[in-house]
Amino acid sequence: MRILLKMSYNGKDFHGFQYQHNYRTVQGVIEAALTKMHKRQMRIHPASRTDRGVHALEQYCHFDTDLGLTTGKWHYILNRNLPADISINEVAEIPEDFHVRYHSKGKTYRYSVYTADTVNPFFYGLKTHYPHELDKERMLAAMQPFLGTHDFTSFSSAKAEIVNKVRTITEFRIEETEAGFDFIISGSGFLYNMVRIIVAYIVEVGAGRRKPETEAIIRQKDRTIVPRTAPAEGLYLEKVHFDGAFEK
Amino acid sequence: MRILLKMSYNGKDFHGFQYQHNYRTVQGVIEAALTKMHKRQMRIHPASRTDRGVHALEQYCHFDTDLGLTTGKWHYILNRNLPADISINEVAEIPEDFHVRYHSKGKTYRYSVYTADTVNPFFYGLKTHYPHELDKERMLAAMQPFLGTHDFTSFSSAKAEIVNKVRTITEFRIEETEAGFDFIISGSGFLYNMVRIIVAYIVEVGAGRRKPETEAIIRQKDRTIVPRTAPAEGLYLEKVHFDGAFEK
């Protein structure tokens, strides 16, 4: 039986999603809970691996089990056995040929920035502090050209080994918050650090620290033009998009 | 020259205020920053020592210095050299016979509870999860008798070595939040764990898990009647009260 978990987590105290020996990771914590229940080593498969310090408002993983529990029982037992920085929000039984990573069609990320002059200790690990006035219209103008299908070499980590850097961005918008701005970006897929590099560029444009020249930067396919990467703490995996049947 | 700092901090990653060898504490982090600047061991004196995991929306400390910096310069340099879970909000020069602990006249605490069925990972370390419906009127009725001057033996840690357990409560009220309830309590002084024991009792009354019988419990002067202590993570030092001149 294949079980799908819909969950959220606070990434602050995790060294990312993926299992690492001797480090606290989301995968490590969930697999430890499942391994204890099954009395054998269990493996989970996520829709998306998030980096160290990155949060998830909506993330999915699945695992195969022969325990025969109801989804309600899984929900209850897992939340009882997981730490308070992870929450299982829904449990479903899915077909054994469904794989959350291969069947996902896209993702939405949120990046949260606050612009107060001084640090707010209660945003520690949860929002990025950028103490500059940001011009919303100027940012929107620089955001618009990201929409559509482009080669995003200029906005991806040079470390990324993927050859094809063409991706499609379907949504890129701003939500004003009490404390600053949230950037919401959706697409078919994202290159390594792509959202954090794009946000670093947009806030520099918003602060008047660089010119809006998105089309030219995309065209040049050169990461060195956009050297900064916004910190992990402001980044949230907001939604994973599936085909109709598993759209939650 | 005696310098007063008004600050806030997120207590989650601190082992409390007071210096402890080999543990990260608020005092340890601030003294390390000051010691580096002065090139000699510096000491700070707080208005109130908060326990491990307890937050401060408004806390004060003072120290003596011969560096001769302006208050604006202190503000800037300290915030640059302190981690993002502490914020210095104001700096003032004060007379050398003023001591923030001895001159404080009382304190206000806030205790924040959320009542959702499941854990919210983004309240991790910042609010206490109590997944029960709470009856506000029932809680208010149990809160009212705390006002005034009483012997609070029943609501203080048995470990407290203080002999005189008479304290005066001047305010005890509820603020409804999006997620649950905040309890705001002010008084001339508080015994060890007193706020956390009172809140544990009030939420049990609110959930219908025990009878409201505040007067009787106070009268019995017996801690065993109120065995629980609410967790540190929901507790905030909200305000320290001084005589007019230093009231911020």
Side-chain angles (χ1 to χ4, degrees):
Chain A
M1 190 188 268
R2 182 159 290 185
I3 296 290
L4 176 74
L5 306 179
K6 180 182 169 184
M7 61 189 165
S8 52
Y9 48 83
N10 180 335
K12 178 180 169 296
D13 289 352
F14 290 109
H15 280 244
F17 189 93
Q18 192 170 17
Y19 179 83
Q20 287 180 66
H21 190 59
N22 284 337
Y23 286 99
R24 186 173 186 265
T25 66
V26 177
Q27 182 174 10
V29 161
I30 296 176
E31 287 182 353
L34 289 172
T35 293
K36 204 171 146 196
M37 289 175 68
H38 289 78
K39 301 188 176 68
R40 60 183 171 85
Q41 180 61 52
M42 291 290 287
R43 276 280 162 269
I44 60 169
H45 302 272
S48 177
R49 290 195 295 249
T50 50
D51 284 335
R52 179 174 176 183
V54 174
H55 316 287
L57 293 162
E58 180 182 304
Q59 161 76 293
Y60 294 85
C61 69
H62 66 73
F63 60 91
D64 294 324
T65 178
D66 48 15
L67 287 192
L69 301 178
T70 63
T71 55
K73 198 91 185 170
W74 277 115
H75 194 171
Y76 177 80
I77 292 178
L78 282 173
N79 274 331
R80 269 194 72 112
N81 287 287
L82 289 172
D85 46 356
I86 303 183
S87 173
I88 305 298
N89 302 319
E90 274 183 59
V91 181
E93 195 188 330
I94 54 172
E96 299 205 359
D97 60 358
F98 185 84
H99 190 291
V100 281
R101 183 140 61 100
Y102 306 134
H103 286 74
S104 85
K105 290 175 54 187
K107 288 180 273 189
T108 299
Y109 285 95
R110 174 180 295 265
Y111 196 98
S112 193
V113 169
Y114 73 104
T115 56
D117 287 344
T118 52
V119 150
N120 180 335
F122 302 102
F123 292 153
Y124 181 56
L126 294 175
K127 282 179 189 279
T128 295
H129 185 218
Y130 192 74
H132 302 278
E133 209 178 305
L134 298 179
D135 181 326
K136 187 178 169 184
E137 295 311 316
R138 206 174 141 89
M139 293 193 287
L140 287 171
M143 286 159 62
Q144 211 279 331
F146 282 101
L147 292 172
T149 302
H150 307 285
D151 182 314
F152 284 102
T153 300
S154 295
F155 293 95
S156 80
S157 170
K159 280 183 281 182
E161 286 163 20
I162 291 168
V163 177
N164 179 1
K165 298 195 172 182
V166 174
R167 295 292 183 275
T168 300
I169 301 298
T170 54
E171 173 190 36
F172 195 6
R173 61 188 174 83
I174 288 177
E175 276 180 18
E176 287 187 64
T177 66
E178 258 178 72
F181 297 93
D182 281 8
F183 301 91
I184 296 100
I185 186 164
S186 300
S188 58
F190 293 90
L191 300 165
Y192 188 58
N193 277 351
M194 179 170 152
V195 176
R196 291 165 57 185
I197 297 166
I198 291 175
V199 168
Y201 160 71
I202 294 294
V203 297
E204 291 205 320
V205 169
R209 295 180 148 197
R210 66 179 297 162
K211 280 190 303 186
E213 45 180 358
T214 309
E215 290 97 333
I217 298 173
I218 290 176
R219 217 179 303 123
Q220 285 168 78
K221 301 193 184 89
D222 176 2
R223 170 70 211 274
T224 63
I225 314 170
V226 195
R228 291 182 204 280
T229 303
E233 61 196 16
L235 186 61
Y236 293 74
L237 176 59
E238 167 128 331
K239 209 167 166 51
V240 181
H241 305 279
F242 295 108
D243 286 318
F246 296 96
E247 190 78 58
K248 292 282 172 184
Chain B
M1 189 190 266
R2 182 158 289 185
I3 296 290
L4 177 74
L5 306 179
K6 179 180 170 186
M7 60 190 165
S8 52
Y9 50 82
N10 179 336
K12 179 181 169 293
D13 289 352
F14 290 110
H15 280 244
F17 190 93
Q18 191 171 19
Y19 179 83
Q20 285 181 65
H21 190 60
N22 285 336
Y23 286 99
R24 186 175 187 264
T25 66
V26 178
Q27 182 172 11
V29 161
I30 296 175
E31 287 180 353
L34 290 172
T35 294
K36 205 171 146 195
M37 290 174 67
H38 289 78
K39 301 188 175 67
R40 61 182 171 84
Q41 179 62 52
M42 291 290 287
R43 276 280 161 267
I44 60 169
H45 302 273
S48 176
R49 289 196 295 251
T50 51
D51 284 336
R52 180 175 175 182
V54 174
H55 315 288
L57 294 161
E58 180 183 303
Q59 161 77 294
Y60 294 86
C61 70
H62 66 72
F63 60 92
D64 294 325
T65 179
D66 48 15
L67 288 193
L69 301 178
T70 63
T71 54
K73 197 93 184 167
W74 277 115
H75 194 172
Y76 177 80
I77 293 179
L78 282 172
N79 275 332
R80 267 193 74 110
N81 287 287
L82 289 172
D85 46 355
I86 303 184
S87 173
I88 305 298
N89 301 319
E90 274 183 59
V91 180
E93 194 187 332
I94 54 171
E96 299 204 1
D97 61 356
F98 184 84
H99 190 291
V100 280
R101 182 138 62 101
Y102 306 135
H103 286 75
S104 86
K105 291 174 56 187
K107 287 179 275 191
T108 299
Y109 284 97
R110 174 181 294 263
Y111 195 97
S112 192
V113 170
Y114 74 103
T115 56
D117 287 344
T118 53
V119 151
N120 180 335
F122 302 102
F123 293 155
Y124 181 56
L126 294 175
K127 283 179 188 278
T128 295
H129 186 218
Y130 193 74
H132 302 278
E133 208 178 305
L134 299 179
D135 182 325
K136 186 178 169 185
E137 295 310 315
R138 205 175 142 91
M139 293 194 286
L140 286 170
M143 285 159 63
Q144 211 280 331
F146 282 100
L147 293 172
T149 302
H150 308 285
D151 182 313
F152 284 103
T153 300
S154 296
F155 292 96
S156 80
S157 169
K159 280 182 282 180
E161 283 163 21
I162 291 167
V163 177
N164 179 1
K165 299 196 171 181
V166 175
R167 294 292 183 279
T168 300
I169 301 297
T170 54
E171 172 190 39
F172 195 5
R173 62 188 173 82
I174 288 177
E175 277 180 17
E176 288 187 63
T177 66
E178 257 178 73
F181 297 93
D182 281 8
F183 301 91
I184 295 99
I185 187 165
S186 299
S188 58
F190 293 89
L191 300 164
Y192 189 60
N193 277 351
M194 180 169 152
V195 176
R196 291 165 55 183
I197 297 166
I198 291 174
V199 168
Y201 160 71
I202 293 295
V203 296
E204 291 205 321
V205 168
R209 295 179 149 198
R210 66 180 298 162
K211 280 190 304 187
E213 43 178 1
T214 309
E215 290 97 333
I217 298 172
I218 291 175
R219 215 179 303 121
Q220 285 168 79
K221 300 191 184 86
D222 177 2
R223 168 70 211 272
T224 62
I225 313 169
V226 194
R228 292 184 203 278
T229 303
E233 60 197 16
L235 186 60
Y236 294 74
L237 177 59
E238 167 127 331
K239 211 170 163 49
V240 181
H241 306 280
F242 295 108
D243 287 318
F246 297 96
E247 189 79 57
K248 292 283 172 183

